[in-house]
Amino acid sequence: MAMDELELLKKDWQKKEGELPKLSYEEIYKMIWKKSSSIVKWIFYISIIEFVLPHLLYLLPSARSGFDMYNELGITNLFIGLSILQYAVVFYFIYQFYRRYREISVLDNAKQLTNNILRTRRTVKNYVIFSLSMILLIFAIIVFGIYSTDNLVAAFQLEGKALETSPEKLKFIFMVGMSIVGVLFTLLLGGIYFLLYGLLTRKLSKNHKELKKLEV
Amino acid sequence: MTKELEHRFVTELESNQNIVHKVCSLYTNDRDAHNDLFQEITIQLWKAYPKFRGDSKFSTWMYRVALNTAITLYRKSKKRVQTQNYDSVIFKIKADEYDDTQEKQLKLMYNAVKQLGDIDKALVFLYLEDKDYAEISETLGITEGNARVKMNRIKNKLRTLLNP
């Protein structure tokens, strides 16, 4: 090859400067006051929603009447203990998230930057995995409560036809029912979450992988 | 004080805007996206400006922020400032400009470069901007040796694209 093609391209590239668009001072000035729509912003807001959302569920009236049910099933203490543990872990995650979020700087090199963003996002992923496990655990405790309780009828405020069914059969139906609801609920939430997670980080992960390949 | 900072920033960016336009033209395919990315890079530059110490050249500092935004931070968005119209983004060269073989070759090369992945594009961009391997490796966070190896691979890739 007589001449490196890229050298040729380089010459031409530098000639092309004159054809570039030119923005005025005022146009640039207006831009600095616009809101960023960067991926980091998106990750930040979506993560906040993900942190807050599971806790808003407790504000629903039906969730509060759930406490009566726990009482009847005799699992209130277990539930309170679990809640304390859960909040401690949630605060740990939020702290971790905030710390990593602060570390993201556009002045880092490309690899460090993608790495920091993905790490921040991974914190939220771990949090979601934790939340989903908690949901499953709570359902498991309810199933256990149903198994060990003697006043199933009072706990679920049953009336009518249900009272005619034998207690053993009723217990069995409720345990199976609760298990299925628990698993489906967790799968649904998890499905939505991981779809969102994948969409948000697809480009990032691809580029990060590419840079990682160049590391060794 | 803030006013002064704004003024200094906008003036510097105005005179160095070519760098941002070149990044935009490599990473986007139409004028709207070009403006969009330009705006996002401007926002990122402005946000980071207080940390710009002036111990490096403003333009050098811009390369990093602009590329990071294009590779990592940029997402498509609808909000944007209307800017004056310009007919085409660079590289959409009119056909009649390209009549001899070398010109055709160049057009093919621009097209080939645009088809590269985000990271490869960044390497080619810095190369075209006459940056040395030390700066390329520092901007991307890879070793100098790997930057060279990668660049050679990209050259080969382009060669095959051009001479099928």
Side-chain angles (χ1 to χ4, degrees):
Chain A
M1 203 145 307
M3 189 182 176
D4 195 322
E5 283 102 337
L6 266 180
E7 286 304 322
L8 202 73
L9 192 66
K10 196 192 255 184
K11 281 215 179 87
D12 191 67
W13 172 268
Q14 278 153 8
K15 268 199 318 223
K16 286 240 151 54
E17 294 247 323
E19 296 169 26
L20 290 165
K22 199 134 189 63
L23 298 185
S24 68
Y25 182 94
E26 286 70 31
E27 283 173 318
I28 293 173
Y29 183 80
K30 260 190 276 171
M31 280 185 186
I32 67 177
W33 304 111
K34 287 275 150 183
K35 279 243 177 319
S36 160
S37 63
S38 77
I39 191 93
V40 176
K41 269 273 163 73
W42 277 83
I43 287 179
F44 183 76
Y45 289 124
I46 290 181
S47 302
I48 297 293
I49 293 172
E50 283 160 357
F51 274 121
V52 171
L53 209 58
H55 303 283
L56 290 181
L57 289 178
Y58 297 127
L59 297 177
L60 295 174
S62 62
R64 255 177 283 144
S65 71
F67 284 108
D68 300 337
M69 180 183 86
Y70 298 139
N71 235 334
E72 297 288 350
L73 291 176
I75 51 176
T76 309
N77 284 341
L78 200 55
F79 187 76
I80 290 174
L82 209 59
S83 294
I84 293 171
L85 179 76
Q86 185 180 6
Y87 277 101
V89 177
V90 167
F91 280 117
Y92 168 76
F93 272 119
I94 291 178
Y95 166 72
Q96 187 85 329
F97 171 76
Y98 179 73
R99 228 186 41 174
R100 290 182 169 176
Y101 177 76
R102 293 280 311 231
E103 272 174 27
I104 297 174
S105 163
V106 75
L107 298 175
D108 275 328
N109 65 49
K111 200 181 92 200
Q112 190 64 43
L113 176 65
T114 39
N115 194 38
N116 285 351
I117 298 174
L118 286 171
R119 238 168 41 133
T120 306
R121 192 60 193 151
R122 226 175 292 133
T123 309
V124 188
K125 183 165 104 175
N126 292 339
Y127 165 74
V128 169
I129 291 173
F130 168 76
S131 295
L132 292 176
S133 328
M134 286 304 274
I135 293 173
L136 264 185
L137 189 63
I138 287 171
F139 273 102
I141 292 173
I142 293 174
V143 170
F144 172 75
I146 295 171
Y147 171 74
S148 55
T149 189
D150 293 323
N151 32 1
L152 189 63
V153 174
F156 287 94
Q157 291 157 353
L158 299 174
E159 44 197 35
K161 248 179 110 179
L163 298 177
E164 293 160 22
T165 321
S166 79
E168 281 73 34
K169 202 172 164 197
L170 207 58
K171 237 183 204 186
F172 180 73
I173 293 172
F174 266 78
M175 283 167 68
V176 172
M178 270 296 173
S179 307
I180 292 174
V181 170
V183 170
L184 283 184
F185 187 66
T186 311
L187 283 180
L188 182 74
L189 279 186
I192 295 172
Y193 175 74
F194 284 105
L195 194 71
L196 208 63
Y197 180 84
L199 286 177
L200 264 181
T201 49
R202 194 172 47 190
K203 178 179 156 183
L204 270 173
S205 311
K206 202 180 115 203
N207 288 335
H208 189 245
K209 233 178 263 161
E210 182 82 5
L211 286 166
K212 277 288 260 234
K213 262 198 299 191
L214 294 174
E215 202 172 23
V216 268
Chain B
M1 191 59 212
T2 341
K3 276 265 171 266
E4 194 193 307
L5 197 71
E6 285 164 19
H7 177 70
R8 205 153 19 111
F9 173 77
V10 178
T11 312
E12 287 207 78
L13 179 54
E14 190 195 1
S15 51
N16 287 293
Q17 60 176 291
N18 274 356
I19 297 171
V20 184
H21 283 301
K22 282 184 273 190
V23 170
C24 293
S25 55
L26 265 188
Y27 283 90
T28 63
N29 291 317
D30 59 63
R31 199 205 304 152
D32 280 350
H34 180 112
N35 287 348
D36 219 26
L37 179 55
F38 190 99
Q39 183 176 308
E40 187 62 42
I41 292 174
T42 303
I43 296 168
Q44 295 297 337
L45 283 166
W46 172 236
K47 276 206 306 199
Y49 191 58
K51 287 190 211 122
F52 173 63
R53 303 232 179 276
D55 44 6
S56 59
K57 257 167 62 192
F58 184 69
S59 60
T60 314
W61 181 78
M62 274 177 72
Y63 278 103
R64 178 173 284 220
V65 178
L67 276 178
N68 270 339
T69 308
I71 295 173
T72 306
L73 304 178
Y74 176 60
R75 294 191 87 256
K76 274 192 168 47
S77 141
K78 295 269 178 287
K79 303 168 287 173
R80 69 178 77 85
V81 170
Q82 275 307 314
T83 48
Q84 60 186 31
N85 289 351
Y86 39 84
D87 283 333
S88 72
V89 186
I90 191 177
F91 316 137
K92 272 197 189 159
I93 311 114
K94 283 154 244 132
D96 54 310
E97 272 180 43
Y98 283 80
D99 17 51
D100 65 43
T101 356
Q102 201 188 52
E103 297 287 299
K104 259 187 206 134
Q105 189 87 341
L106 277 170
K107 191 179 181 182
L108 281 172
M109 285 204 68
Y110 278 125
N111 285 335
V113 169
K114 291 215 61 161
Q115 282 166 32
L116 295 172
D118 289 345
I119 306 298
D120 289 4
K121 256 186 211 169
L123 263 129
V124 172
F125 171 69
L126 291 170
Y127 179 88
L128 292 177
E129 291 290 298
D130 225 5
K131 301 293 169 197
D132 57 22
Y133 281 104
E135 193 170 337
I136 295 178
S137 69
E138 215 185 289
T139 308
L140 296 177
I142 59 182
T143 66
E144 223 178 297
N146 282 329
R148 273 175 211 280
V149 171
K150 185 72 180 163
M151 200 61 215
N152 279 328
R153 271 190 225 141
I154 296 172
K155 280 184 192 169
N156 287 333
K157 206 192 239 174
L158 290 174
R159 207 160 284 160
T160 11
L161 279 169
L162 289 173
N163 314 300

